[in-house]
Amino acid sequence: MGRCVIKSLPEMKLARSRVEKAKLIRGEKTVAPSLSSFAKGKKYLIKTFGCQGNVRDEETMAGLLELAGFTKTTVEKEADLVIINTCAVRENAEDKVYGEIGKFKANKKANKDFMLAVCGCMMQEEGVAQKLLASYPHITLIFGTHNVPDLLDLLAESVERHKTIVDIHSFAGDIIEDLPAKRNDPYKAFVNISYGCDKFCTYCIVPYTRGRERSRPLEDILKECKELIEAGYKEITLLGQNVNSYGKDFKDGTSFATVLEEVAKLGIARLRFMTSHPWDFSLEMIDIIAKYPNIMKCIHLPVQSGSTEMLRLMGRRYTREEYLALVKNIRERIPDVALTTDIIVGFPNETAEQFEDTLTLCEEVKYDAAFTFIYSPRKGTPAAAIADNVSDEDKHERFNRLLKVIESGVMSHSKTMVGKTYKVLVDGPSKKDETMLSGYTENSKLINFRGPSYLKGEIVDVKIIEDHAFSMIGELVEDPLIIKAKAFKENLLKDPLIKEFLSVSKAIDEDESLIALRKDIEAAQRDLASKVVDDEAHKIAKEKYASLMKEYEEHPLIHNYAALHDDVESLLKEITEGLK
């Protein structure tokens, strides 16, 4: 490892440590001249595995790389820098990562300047970095979830020293603001409201890989959301490992209900959030969701098991009865709500009776969707130390039975949608059929329907005509051209210049001095027309009319209107040229 510099390695004990309050760090990132020079003309590619939090990290890393001068590519062979952003939640996600790392050995052989970086949650596990260094000498950089803000400095150090750099911090975590970002989607955005988790469920690696719970300042969240709305985003998803715990570290009464309401009041068309822990789900939250129509009535509420005994062993902090009572409260206050969940099958020593409790809970709740998993032990978590007497055969048999129960619940909801019309945010062409468009309803049901590609990013009315359980087939209610024309008008009216122009126009119509002046001008026009045959009288009437017109044209509001009129005309010409 002579070509390797190990600055820090992960320690799971440190990851558990508490801090009184997370550090809040602000300030723009600078780029070392060595990295700017290296990045010139080079392309980067980021491959992300895992959750929405990892996707948000990808966007931050992309923003940092483009700040340095790299440009994005989606072609692996073209990439001069590849970052593999890993997930540690389940074993199969890790297995995929090793295959990805191996295939970029060819890039290094073909390009001596090629850099391969591996980051993310998997790197926060003890022993993983050492394994990668021993098995994959073509890796240039290994860093952890807490080191994302340091990406440019780490790359610059590797370029300058011609060495592999390993830097993986393990600590409670800081709050880093003002980082650049390159969003993956022009209409739907993820916004972190908190990081890490304090729950320490016995099966979960996340508190070790992401640190302890820490909340972003509300003003920074609102600033980011405002900027997204102004940029034309239609949907924002507030992210946190446990959004319900937001604000607890402030100890000033700020809660997730606070941030949810404040973001909703900004006017974003669609507001979502994930993930919610049942233990922290307050009645105040339910009432805020019910109150605002732009908060989507779809709640992801992971149950993990329907057995109180299993929930206790999992460290989930609620009972079966408490979970069902919460579901009842949600459905009473939000009758049209869609509920989704996560479920683990085959937790160590799960009995047949305990699994039956999960089946009966799912039959009672009838989820709109569920993410189901066979238990995967994560080294270093308490559950990984429990001797497991559930055979693989039993786990797979239970998993298949659970899928049938979940599917029954999903279909019971889907059937009720046929013949009804729903609002769908168009994502673009369907991944399975490019002749179809696809998008999601407010209750997160995937809808496929025929329509032109220019509807991407629009919220359209779609009537459901076929039920395919986990996705639906629909048809547009309105002519696509009419939809686009309405959207164009709506967007145009949001432009600051157009808004000012219309505001001045309204002020002119309502200004009392101008109303009186217009009446005098109309009277002067009539007087001028009546005295055409009398030269002297006509001359006097004409002078009076000209004087009134001059007074009108020199009014400040009229001057402002004329200047804005020219600016608006230029804007419309620019738009027209862009459509050609």
Side-chain angles (χ1 to χ4, degrees), residues 87-128:
C87 173
V89 173
R90 288 173 187 85
E91 193 173 3
N92 63 346
E94 292 194 7
D95 292 339
K96 290 178 183 177
V97 167
Y98 290 117
E100 287 292 327
I101 294 171
K103 74 180 183 181
F104 286 105
K105 187 176 181 180
N107 290 54
K108 186 66 176 178
K109 283 185 177 179
N111 177 5
K112 64 180 179 62
D113 288 334
F114 175 76
M115 302 180 81
L116 175 62
V118 189
C119 68
C121 294
M122 189 173 157
M123 299 307 102
Q124 298 290 152
E125 297 180 85
E126 291 178 358
V128 171

Side-chain angles (χ1 to χ4, degrees), residues 413-445:
H413 294 295
S414 297
K415 286 177 182 177
T416 65
M417 295 176 68
V418 177
K420 296 178 182 177
T421 297
Y422 294 86
K423 291 196 176 298
V424 175
L425 174 53
V426 184
D427 288 331
S430 168
K431 293 177 181 177
K432 293 184 178 179
D433 184 353
E434 289 191 356
T435 66
M436 302 281 281
L437 295 178
S438 70
Y440 287 86
T441 61
E442 294 181 350
N443 63 358
S444 286
K445 182 68 76 172

Side-chain angles (χ1 to χ4, degrees), residues 90-294:
R90 288 173 187 85
E91 193 173 3
N92 63 346
E94 292 194 7
D95 292 339
K96 290 178 183 177
V97 167
Y98 290 117
E100 287 292 327
I101 294 171
K103 74 180 183 181
F104 286 105
K105 187 176 181 180
N107 290 54
K108 186 66 176 178
K109 283 185 177 179
N111 177 5
K112 64 180 179 62
D113 288 334
F114 175 76
M115 302 180 81
L116 175 62
V118 189
C119 68
C121 294
M122 189 173 157
M123 299 307 102
Q124 298 290 152
E125 297 180 85
E126 291 178 358
V128 171
Q130 295 93 318
K131 180 179 178 180
L132 293 181
L133 291 171
S135 305
Y136 305 98
H138 58 290
I139 292 176
T140 311
L141 173 63
I142 299 175
F143 61 103
T145 57
H146 301 301
N147 302 87
V148 168
D150 306 320
L151 173 59
L152 298 185
D153 294 333
L154 294 171
L155 286 172
E157 185 174 355
S158 180
V159 167
E160 292 164 7
R161 300 178 68 174
H162 303 285
K163 289 182 180 292
T164 295
I165 306 295
V166 179
D167 198 6
I168 308 167
H169 294 166
S170 288
F171 69 124
D174 295 326
I175 300 288
I176 314 291
E177 294 293 341
D178 304 322
L179 292 173
K182 179 72 174 177
R183 299 279 179 178
N184 288 339
D185 191 290
Y187 305 107
K188 298 160 77 171
F190 296 124
V191 173
N192 291 110
I193 66 167
S194 62
Y195 305 95
C197 184
D198 278 353
K199 291 296 182 286
F200 285 96
C201 299
T202 58
Y203 55 83
C204 186
I205 195 74
V206 169
Y208 306 94
T209 62
R210 289 284 177 178
R212 305 304 294 264
E213 276 180 9
R214 52 217 189 272
S215 305
R216 288 181 68 196
L218 179 58
E219 61 267 26
D220 289 308
I221 295 168
L222 296 179
K223 177 176 177 284
E224 184 176 347
C225 291
K226 283 177 186 175
E227 289 170 352
L228 289 165
I229 294 168
E230 289 168 2
Y233 278 79
K234 302 290 181 69
E235 181 175 295
I236 289 173
T237 301
L238 303 177
L239 290 183
Q241 191 60 34
N242 176 18
V243 291
N244 306 21
S245 291
Y246 175 85
K248 285 186 175 181
D249 46 338
F250 296 151
K251 299 177 182 177
D252 63 358
T254 304
S255 67
F256 179 57
T258 307
V259 69
L260 194 59
E261 181 167 32
E262 290 303 312
V263 176
K265 283 158 64 174
L266 294 177
I268 183 68
R270 291 184 167 201
L271 179 59
R272 301 185 187 274
F273 59 91
M274 65 185 325
T275 294
S276 292
H277 192 293
W279 191 67
D280 295 307
F281 213 111
S282 67
L283 294 181
E284 183 187 12
M285 272 182 60
I286 300 172
D287 291 337
I288 291 297
I289 296 166
K291 179 180 178 181
Y292 289 90
N294 59 339

Side-chain angles (χ1 to χ4, degrees), residues 12 15 39 46 68 75 79 98 107 114 220 225 235 263 271 334 400 409 423 453 494 500 524 528 550:
M12 294 186 81
I46 303 175
V75 182
Y98 290 117
N107 290 54
F114 175 76
D220 289 308
C225 291
E235 181 175 295
V263 176
L271 179 59
I334 315 171
N400 291 332
K423 291 196 176 298
S453 59
K494 290 178 182 176
E500 186 181 2
L528 183 62
K550 184 179 179 183

Side-chain angles (χ1 to χ4, degrees), residues 16 228 310 377 481-482 500 506 571 579:
R16 287 185 66 96
L228 289 165
M310 279 289 102
L481 281 176
I482 298 296
E500 186 181 2
K506 184 181 178 183
L571 173 65
L579 293 173

Side-chain angles (χ1 to χ4, degrees), residues 362-376:
C362 292
E363 287 169 348
E364 182 173 342
V365 175
K366 288 185 169 58
Y367 292 104
D368 290 79
F371 298 93
T372 53
F373 310 95
I374 292 175
Y375 171 72
S376 175

Side-chain angles (χ1 to χ4, degrees), residues 305-565:
S305 173
S307 160
T308 294
E309 293 87 353
M310 279 289 102
L311 291 170
R312 180 178 55 79
L313 290 173
M314 290 176 171
R316 291 293 288 173
R317 308 187 187 199
Y318 54 85
T319 65
R320 170 193 176 96
E321 291 72 25
E322 287 168 340
Y323 183 91
L324 289 173
L326 173 60
V327 168
K328 183 181 178 183
N329 268 324
I330 291 172
R331 287 202 159 132
E332 284 177 352
R333 285 173 161 81
I334 315 171
D336 56 343
V337 71
L339 292 177
T340 62
T341 197
D342 294 338
I343 300 172
I344 296 172
V345 173
F347 190 78
N349 301 315
E350 178 188 64
T351 66
E353 292 77 14
Q354 289 165 342
F355 174 69
E356 288 294 332
D357 285 343
T358 297
L359 291 184
T360 57
L361 181 140
C362 292
E363 287 169 348
E364 182 173 342
V365 175
K366 288 185 169 58
Y367 292 104
D368 290 79
F371 298 93
T372 53
F373 310 95
I374 292 175
Y375 171 72
S376 175
R378 301 287 78 205
K379 184 180 177 182
T381 61
I386 303 174
D388 187 5
N389 65 358
V390 185
S391 69
D392 284 345
E393 183 181 355
D394 283 343
K395 288 177 182 178
H396 283 87
E397 186 270 339
R398 291 175 189 178
F399 183 77
N400 291 332
R401 287 174 63 197
L402 176 63
L403 288 183
K404 289 180 181 178
V405 172
I406 294 297
E407 186 173 341
S408 174
V410 172
M411 290 179 69
S412 71
H413 294 295
S414 297
K415 286 177 182 177
T416 65
M417 295 176 68
V418 177
K420 296 178 182 177
T421 297
Y422 294 86
K423 291 196 176 298
V424 175
L425 174 53
V426 184
D427 288 331
S430 168
K431 293 177 181 177
K432 293 184 178 179
D433 184 353
E434 289 191 356
T435 66
M436 302 281 281
L437 295 178
S438 70
Y440 287 86
T441 61
E442 294 181 350
N443 63 358
S444 286
K445 182 68 76 172
L446 178 64
I447 312 295
N448 296 298
F449 57 96
R450 296 202 177 278
S453 59
Y454 59 70
L455 289 181
K456 181 178 179 179
E458 302 297 346
I459 296 175
V460 301
D461 288 328
V462 179
K463 183 179 179 181
I464 308 303
I465 58 175
E466 288 182 34
D467 168 23
H468 288 200
F470 294 97
S471 66
M472 316 289 283
I473 302 296
E475 59 184 13
L476 284 169
V477 171
E478 202 168 18
D479 186 299
L481 281 176
I482 298 296
I483 294 171
K484 199 63 185 178
K486 287 180 178 178
F488 179 76
K489 177 185 176 183
E490 185 180 332
N491 290 331
L492 192 61
L493 291 175
K494 290 178 182 176
D495 186 280
L497 177 62
I498 300 295
K499 287 169 77 173
E500 186 181 2
F501 178 71
L502 294 176
S503 175
V504 171
S505 179
K506 184 181 178 183
I508 289 172
D509 290 339
E510 296 175 352
D511 185 270
E512 291 184 5
S513 65
L514 286 174
I515 291 171
L517 195 51
R518 283 195 292 271
K519 288 179 179 178
D520 289 343
I521 289 171
E522 289 172 5
Q525 283 178 317
R526 289 193 295 272
D527 187 46
L528 183 62
S530 68
K531 294 175 178 173
V532 174
V533 294
D534 186 336
D535 290 345
E536 187 61 30
H538 184 267
K539 181 181 177 183
I540 294 170
K542 188 175 182 181
E543 287 173 352
K544 183 179 179 182
Y545 173 74
S547 176
L548 289 170
M549 284 301 299
K550 184 179 179 183
E551 184 182 350
Y552 186 84
E553 290 165 359
E554 288 180 351
H555 192 283
L557 280 175
I558 301 300
H559 263 295
N560 195 7
Y561 179 85
L564 286 168
H565 187 279

